[in-house]
Coordinates of all heavy atoms in Angstrom, one line a residue:
N1 N 1.8 -4.5 -4.6 CA 3.0 -4.5 -3.7 C 3.0 -3.2 -2.9 O 2.6 -2.1 -3.6 CB 4.2 -4.6 -4.5 CG 5.5 -4.4 -3.7 OD1 6.4 -3.4 -4.0 ND2 5.7 -5.0 -2.8
S2 N 3.2 -3.4 -1.6 CA 3.5 -2.3 -0.8 C 2.2 -1.3 -0.6 O 0.9 -1.8 -0.5 CB 4.7 -1.4 -1.2 OG 5.1 -0.6 -0.1
L3 N 2.2 0.0 -1.0 CA 1.1 0.8 -1.2 C 0.0 0.4 -2.1 O -1.2 0.5 -1.9 CB 1.5 2.2 -1.4 CG 0.3 3.3 -1.3 CD1 0.1 3.7 0.1 CD2 0.6 4.5 -2.4
G4 N 0.5 -0.3 -3.1 CA -0.3 -0.8 -4.3 C -1.3 -2.0 -3.7 O -2.5 -2.1 -4.1
G5 N -0.7 -2.7 -2.6 CA -1.7 -3.7 -2.1 C -2.7 -3.1 -1.2 O -3.9 -3.5 -1.3
H6 N -2.3 -2.0 -0.6 CA -3.3 -1.3 0.3 C -4.4 -0.7 -0.6 O -5.7 -0.8 -0.3 CB -2.5 -0.1 0.8 CG -3.1 0.5 2.1 ND1 -2.5 1.1 3.1 CD2 -4.4 0.5 2.4 CE1 -3.3 1.5 3.9 NE2 -4.5 1.1 3.7
V7 N -4.1 -0.1 -1.7 CA -5.1 0.4 -2.8 C -6.0 -0.7 -3.3 O -7.1 -0.6 -3.3 CB -4.3 1.0 -4.0 CG1 -5.2 1.5 -5.0 CG2 -3.5 2.3 -3.4
G8 N -5.3 -1.9 -3.6 CA -6.1 -3.1 -4.0 C -7.0 -3.5 -2.9 O -8.2 -4.0 -3.3
L9 N -6.6 -3.5 -1.7 CA -7.6 -3.8 -0.6 C -8.8 -3.0 -0.4 O -9.9 -3.4 -0.4 CB -6.7 -3.8 0.7 CG -5.9 -5.1 1.1 CD1 -5.0 -4.8 2.2 CD2 -6.8 -6.2 1.4
I10 N -8.5 -1.7 -0.6 CA -9.6 -0.7 -0.5 C -10.6 -0.8 -1.7 O -11.8 -0.9 -1.5 CB -9.0 0.8 -0.4 CG1 -8.3 1.0 0.9 CG2 -10.2 1.8 -0.5 CD1 -7.6 2.3 1.0
Y11 N -9.9 -1.0 -2.9 CA -10.9 -1.3 -4.0 C -11.7 -2.4 -3.9 O -12.9 -2.4 -4.2 CB -10.0 -1.3 -5.4 CG -10.9 -1.7 -6.5 CD1 -11.5 -0.9 -7.3 CD2 -10.9 -3.2 -6.9 CE1 -12.4 -1.1 -8.1 CE2 -11.7 -3.5 -8.0 CZ -12.5 -2.5 -8.7 OH -13.3 -2.9 -9.7
T12 N -11.1 -3.6 -3.3 CA -11.8 -4.8 -3.3 C -12.9 -4.8 -2.2 O -14.0 -5.3 -2.4 CB -10.8 -6.0 -2.8 OG1 -9.7 -6.1 -3.8 CG2 -11.5 -7.3 -2.7
L13 N -12.7 -4.1 -1.2 CA -13.6 -3.8 -0.2 C -15.0 -3.3 -0.8 O -16.0 -3.8 -0.3 CB -13.1 -2.9 1.0 CG -12.5 -3.5 2.2 CD1 -11.8 -2.5 3.0 CD2 -13.5 -4.3 3.0
H14 N -14.8 -2.4 -1.7 CA -15.9 -1.8 -2.2 C -16.5 -2.4 -3.6 O -17.5 -2.0 -4.0 CB -15.8 -0.3 -2.4 CG -15.3 0.4 -1.1 ND1 -16.2 0.6 -0.1 CD2 -14.1 0.9 -0.7 CE1 -15.7 1.2 0.9 NE2 -14.4 1.4 0.5
N15 N -15.8 -3.3 -4.1 CA -16.0 -3.9 -5.5 C -15.7 -5.4 -5.4 O -15.2 -5.9 -6.4 CB -15.2 -3.2 -6.5 CG -15.5 -1.7 -6.5 OD1 -16.4 -1.2 -7.1 ND2 -14.5 -1.1 -5.8
Q16 N -16.3 -6.2 -4.4 CA -15.9 -7.6 -4.4 C -16.4 -8.4 -5.5 O -15.7 -9.3 -6.1 CB -16.4 -8.3 -3.1 CG -15.8 -7.6 -1.9 CD -15.7 -8.5 -0.7 OE1 -15.2 -9.7 -0.7 NE2 -16.2 -8.0 0.4
E17 N -17.6 -7.9 -6.1 CA -18.1 -8.7 -7.3 C -17.2 -8.5 -8.5 O -17.3 -9.4 -9.4 CB -19.6 -8.3 -7.6 CG -19.7 -6.9 -8.0 CD -19.3 -5.7 -7.3 OE1 -19.1 -5.8 -6.0 OE2 -19.0 -4.5 -7.8
K18 N -16.3 -7.7 -8.4 CA -15.4 -7.4 -9.7 C -14.1 -8.2 -9.6 O -13.3 -8.1 -10.5 CB -15.2 -5.9 -9.9 CG -16.4 -5.0 -10.2 CD -16.3 -4.6 -11.6 CE -17.4 -3.8 -12.0 NZ -18.2 -4.1 -13.2
V19 N -13.9 -8.7 -8.3 CA -12.5 -9.1 -8.2 C -12.4 -10.6 -8.0 O -13.1 -11.2 -7.1 CB -11.8 -8.5 -7.0 CG1 -10.4 -8.9 -6.7 CG2 -11.8 -6.9 -6.9
K20 N -11.8 -11.2 -8.9 CA -11.7 -12.7 -8.8 C -10.7 -13.2 -7.9 O -11.0 -14.1 -7.1 CB -11.5 -13.2 -10.3 CG -11.7 -14.7 -10.6 CD -11.8 -15.0 -12.0 CE -12.1 -16.5 -12.2 NZ -12.1 -16.9 -13.5
T21 N -9.6 -12.6 -7.9 CA -8.5 -13.0 -6.9 C -7.8 -11.6 -6.5 O -7.7 -10.6 -7.3 CB -7.5 -13.9 -7.5 OG1 -6.7 -13.3 -8.4 CG2 -8.0 -15.3 -8.0
L22 N -7.2 -11.7 -5.3 CA -6.3 -10.6 -4.9 C -5.1 -11.1 -4.4 O -5.0 -12.2 -3.7 CB -7.1 -9.9 -3.6 CG -6.4 -8.8 -2.9 CD1 -6.1 -7.6 -3.8 CD2 -7.2 -8.4 -1.8
T23 N -3.9 -10.5 -4.7 CA -2.6 -11.0 -4.3 C -1.9 -9.8 -3.7 O -1.8 -8.8 -4.2 CB -1.8 -11.5 -5.5 OG1 -2.5 -12.7 -6.0 CG2 -0.3 -12.1 -4.9
L24 N -1.4 -9.9 -2.4 CA -0.6 -9.0 -1.7 C 0.7 -9.4 -1.5 O 0.9 -10.5 -1.0 CB -1.5 -8.6 -0.4 CG -3.0 -8.4 -0.5 CD1 -3.5 -8.3 0.9 CD2 -3.1 -7.1 -1.2
T25 N 1.7 -8.4 -1.8 CA 3.0 -8.8 -1.3 C 3.6 -7.5 -0.6 O 3.5 -6.3 -1.3 CB 3.7 -9.3 -2.5 OG1 5.3 -9.6 -2.1 CG2 4.0 -8.2 -3.6
G26 N 4.1 -7.6 0.6 CA 4.5 -6.5 1.3 C 3.6 -5.4 1.4 O 3.9 -4.1 1.3
S27 N 2.3 -5.8 1.6 CA 1.3 -4.6 1.5 C 1.2 -3.9 2.8 O 1.3 -4.4 3.9 CB -0.1 -5.3 1.4 OG -1.0 -4.4 1.4
S28 N 0.9 -2.5 2.6 CA 0.5 -1.8 3.8 C -1.0 -1.9 4.1 O -1.7 -2.7 3.3 CB 0.9 -0.3 3.5 OG 0.3 0.3 2.5
G29 N -1.5 -1.2 5.1 CA -3.0 -1.4 5.3 C -3.1 -2.0 6.8 O -4.1 -1.8 7.4
L30 N -2.1 -2.6 7.2 CA -2.1 -2.9 8.8 C -1.0 -2.2 9.6 O -1.2 -1.5 10.6 CB -2.0 -4.4 9.0 CG -3.1 -5.2 8.6 CD1 -2.7 -6.8 8.7 CD2 -4.4 -5.0 9.4
F31 N 0.1 -2.2 9.1 CA 1.3 -1.7 9.7 C 2.5 -1.6 8.8 O 2.8 -2.5 8.0 CB 1.7 -2.6 10.9 CG 3.1 -2.1 11.4 CD1 3.2 -1.1 12.3 CD2 4.2 -2.9 11.0 CE1 4.5 -0.7 12.8 CE2 5.5 -2.5 11.5 CZ 5.7 -1.5 12.4
E32 N 3.2 -0.5 8.8 CA 4.5 -0.5 8.1 C 5.5 0.4 8.6 O 5.2 1.4 9.4 CB 4.3 -0.1 6.4 CG 3.9 1.3 6.3 CD 2.3 1.5 6.4 OE1 1.6 0.7 6.7 OE2 1.9 2.7 6.0
N33 N 6.8 0.0 8.6 CA 7.9 0.9 8.9 C 8.1 1.7 7.7 O 8.9 1.3 6.9 CB 9.1 0.1 9.2 CG 9.1 -0.7 10.6 OD1 8.5 -0.1 11.5 ND2 9.4 -1.8 10.5
G34 N 7.7 3.0 7.7 CA 7.5 3.6 6.4 C 8.9 4.2 6.0 O 9.6 4.7 6.8
M35 N 8.9 4.6 4.7 CA 9.7 5.7 4.0 C 9.0 6.9 4.5 O 9.3 8.0 4.0 CB 9.7 5.4 2.5 CG 10.6 4.6 2.0 SD 12.4 5.3 1.9 CE 13.0 4.6 0.4
G36 N 8.0 6.8 5.3 CA 7.1 7.9 5.6 C 7.6 9.0 6.5 O 7.0 10.0 6.8
E37 N 8.8 8.7 7.3 CA 9.1 9.7 8.2 C 9.7 10.9 7.4 O 10.2 10.7 6.4 CB 10.1 9.1 9.2 CG 11.4 8.8 8.7 CD 11.6 7.5 8.3 OE1 10.6 6.8 8.0 OE2 12.7 6.9 8.0
T38 N 9.6 12.1 8.0 CA 9.6 13.2 7.2 C 10.7 13.6 6.2 O 11.2 14.6 6.1 CB 9.3 14.4 8.1 OG1 10.2 14.2 9.2 CG2 7.9 14.5 8.7
Y39 N 11.6 12.6 5.9 CA 12.7 12.8 5.0 C 13.6 14.0 5.5 O 13.8 15.0 5.0 CB 12.3 13.3 3.6 CG 11.9 12.2 2.8 CD1 10.7 12.0 2.4 CD2 12.9 11.2 2.5 CE1 10.4 10.9 1.6 CE2 12.6 10.1 1.8 CZ 11.4 9.9 1.4 OH 10.9 8.8 0.7
P40 N 14.3 13.8 6.7 CA 15.1 14.7 7.2 C 16.3 15.0 6.3 O 16.8 16.1 6.3 CB 15.6 14.2 8.6 CG 15.4 12.7 8.4 CD 14.3 12.6 7.5
K41 N 16.7 14.0 5.6 CA 18.1 14.2 4.8 C 17.6 14.0 3.4 O 18.2 13.3 2.6 CB 18.9 13.1 5.2 CG 19.1 13.0 6.7 CD 20.3 12.1 7.0 CE 20.5 11.9 8.4 NZ 19.5 11.0 9.1
R42 N 16.8 14.9 2.9 CA 16.2 14.8 1.5 C 17.4 14.8 0.4 O 17.4 14.0 -0.4 CB 15.3 15.9 1.2 CG 14.1 15.4 0.7 CD 13.1 16.4 0.4 NE 13.7 17.7 0.4 CZ 13.2 18.7 -0.4 NH1 12.1 18.6 -1.1 NH2 13.7 19.9 -0.4
G43 N 18.3 15.7 0.7 CA 19.4 15.8 -0.3 C 20.5 14.9 -0.2 O 21.5 15.0 -0.8
D44 N 20.4 14.0 0.8 CA 21.6 13.2 1.2 C 21.5 11.9 0.4 O 20.8 10.9 0.7 CB 21.6 12.9 2.6 CG 22.7 12.1 3.1 OD1 23.3 11.5 2.3 OD2 23.0 12.2 4.5
Y45 N 22.3 11.7 -0.7 CA 22.4 10.7 -1.5 C 22.5 9.3 -0.8 O 22.0 8.3 -1.0 CB 23.3 10.8 -2.8 CG 23.2 9.6 -3.8 CD1 22.2 9.8 -4.8 CD2 23.9 8.6 -3.7 CE1 22.1 8.8 -5.8 CE2 23.8 7.6 -4.6 CZ 22.9 7.7 -5.7 OH 22.8 6.7 -6.7

């Protein structure tokens, strides 16, 4: 899921013989509107 899907894709690219199936849900790797903008309001609950 999410970043985990991206990690799964990179692993699979290099180890296809080890992967029987791959499932992605909300995966990054192409495009995402991230939580990644620099947290301007870190302390703001």
Side-chain angles (χ1 to χ4, degrees):
N1 172 236
S2 200
L3 185 84
H6 200 156
V7 172
L9 280 164
I10 296 172
Y11 173 80
T12 302
L13 267 168
H14 301 292
N15 304 274
Q16 296 209 51
E17 71 294 343
K18 295 256 188 229
V19 182
K20 196 163 184 183
T21 67
L22 175 63
T23 298
L24 305 174
T25 184
S27 179
S28 59
L30 290 174
F31 166 83
E32 67 272 10
N33 287 316
M35 276 285 214
E37 70 269 17
T38 48
Y39 279 117
K41 311 192 183 69
R42 232 172 27 147
D44 181 342
Y45 187 86

